[in-house]
Amino acid sequence: MTLRFALIGEDLSRSPSKAIHTYVFEKLGFSADYELLPVRRDEAKKKIPNLLAELDGLNVTTPYKEDVAMMLVESGYLSEEARKAMSVNTICRGKGYSTDYVAVKRVLERLQRKVGQSCLLVGAGGAARAASVALGELGFTVEVLNRSEHRAKRLVDDMRALGFDFFMWDGERDADLVVNAIPPEPQLKFRPKAYLDFSYLRRAEMGSEINVGGDEILVLQALEADAIWFGDEVRNVDEKEVLEVARQFIWKGD
């Protein structure tokens, strides 16, 4: 039997997720297909539950990570990190996970000794929420900047309720690390030591000593999703090989 997995989101036209997961499935001999399934906002409430029932597993991207978390929280089917973040980007057997959290935490653990403990987090949506839990657990002091002050404050309040050092950014202080979780590249007056950008559609570059792009985060979270679906055998796949597959897809038109 061929298992069916898919990515749901609003605009998937440039997503490399199908290329990434298909590569892993074929490399490990899994009988599985992966699809890209765009979902419009006006059909999301009806269509997403149907897809949950029809498919063997789902990935979730913008703008539905928080919405799906809310759908699943009532059933109690959220992993601990997804519950803390109230953000879901992977579903297995009806349970929601945040592999964004796993990916960001892994990157931050690699960087932490090279950077300080202050962070400016740009954004307050699903990706920012996943990053927030990772940042908080690793002891970063985080200030949040978002176009919607209300959403930023809600994120700060939620993270402070977990015991993390989160604050609203006042525009005055610099930060050792900038994590960008919104599509536009932030325009800042300072140069952080490290820059982590969730967008995989551009090369992360802010003149920082250390730059981590969204392609690296995407690959790490995708491999974690595959491990949830298929088990630890996936962890033997070389991250660098999969990253090259993703980059060839992303930059194929350049």
Side-chain angles (χ1 to χ4, degrees), residues 15-240:
S15 172
S17 291
K18 181 178 174 66
I20 291 171
H21 290 284
T22 299
Y23 175 83
V24 174
F25 295 167
E26 291 178 352
K27 185 174 183 65
L28 296 178
F30 298 148
S31 180
D33 288 333
Y34 193 93
E35 306 169 71
L36 303 179
L37 299 177
V39 176
R40 299 192 313 268
R41 287 179 185 264
D42 61 354
E43 64 182 1
K45 287 185 178 180
K46 182 176 180 179
K47 191 168 184 178
I48 291 175
N50 290 338
L51 291 172
L52 282 170
E54 294 170 8
L55 301 175
D56 295 288
L58 277 174
N59 285 138
V60 182
T61 191
T62 306
Y64 301 124
K65 295 179 182 182
E66 294 172 83
D67 293 341
V68 170
M70 290 300 296
M71 288 180 189
L72 297 177
V73 72
E74 294 181 3
S75 64
Y77 285 171
L78 287 180
S79 65
E80 182 179 0
E81 78 282 352
R83 179 184 55 78
K84 288 178 178 178
M86 282 309 297
S87 173
V88 165
N89 75 318
T90 298
I91 301 169
C92 180
R93 300 185 182 91
K95 184 174 181 178
Y97 298 82
S98 176
T99 64
D100 284 338
Y101 155 86
V102 175
V104 172
K105 191 168 186 181
R106 194 168 298 166
V107 169
L108 292 174
E109 286 171 338
R110 295 172 182 173
L111 298 182
Q112 196 165 22
R113 293 183 181 179
K114 301 176 183 178
V115 300
Q117 290 297 108
S118 65
C119 174
L120 172 62
L121 173 63
V122 184
R129 284 184 160 272
S132 293
V133 176
L135 287 160
E137 289 182 350
L138 291 173
F140 281 87
T141 298
V142 181
E143 294 184 89
V144 178
L145 169 66
N146 190 60
R147 182 175 59 182
S148 167
E149 186 174 333
H150 171 75
R151 282 172 63 82
K153 188 177 186 306
R154 189 177 69 182
L155 174 58
V156 168
D157 289 345
D158 288 348
M159 293 302 111
R160 289 177 69 86
L162 294 173
F164 301 150
D165 292 329
F166 271 64
F167 307 91
M168 297 287 285
W169 191 51
D170 61 9
E172 297 296 327
R173 287 182 291 275
D174 297 351
D176 302 309
L177 166 69
V178 169
V179 176
N180 181 39
I182 62 172
E185 197 166 37
Q187 302 300 310
L188 303 173
K189 295 180 180 179
F190 69 93
R191 180 183 300 174
K193 187 169 185 180
Y195 177 52
L196 191 159
D197 190 354
F198 266 87
S199 176
Y200 55 78
L201 296 178
R202 57 176 172 258
R203 294 174 174 86
E205 178 56 56
M206 195 176 276
S208 302
E209 293 178 29
I210 303 166
N211 295 280
V212 179
D215 51 358
E216 297 181 52
I217 300 170
L218 181 67
V219 164
L220 288 172
Q221 70 82 17
L223 288 172
E224 184 63 24
D226 288 339
I228 290 171
W229 292 331
F230 291 100
D232 286 342
E233 181 183 1
V234 173
R235 303 187 194 283
N236 296 325
V237 176
D238 189 332
E239 292 174 15
K240 293 181 180 178

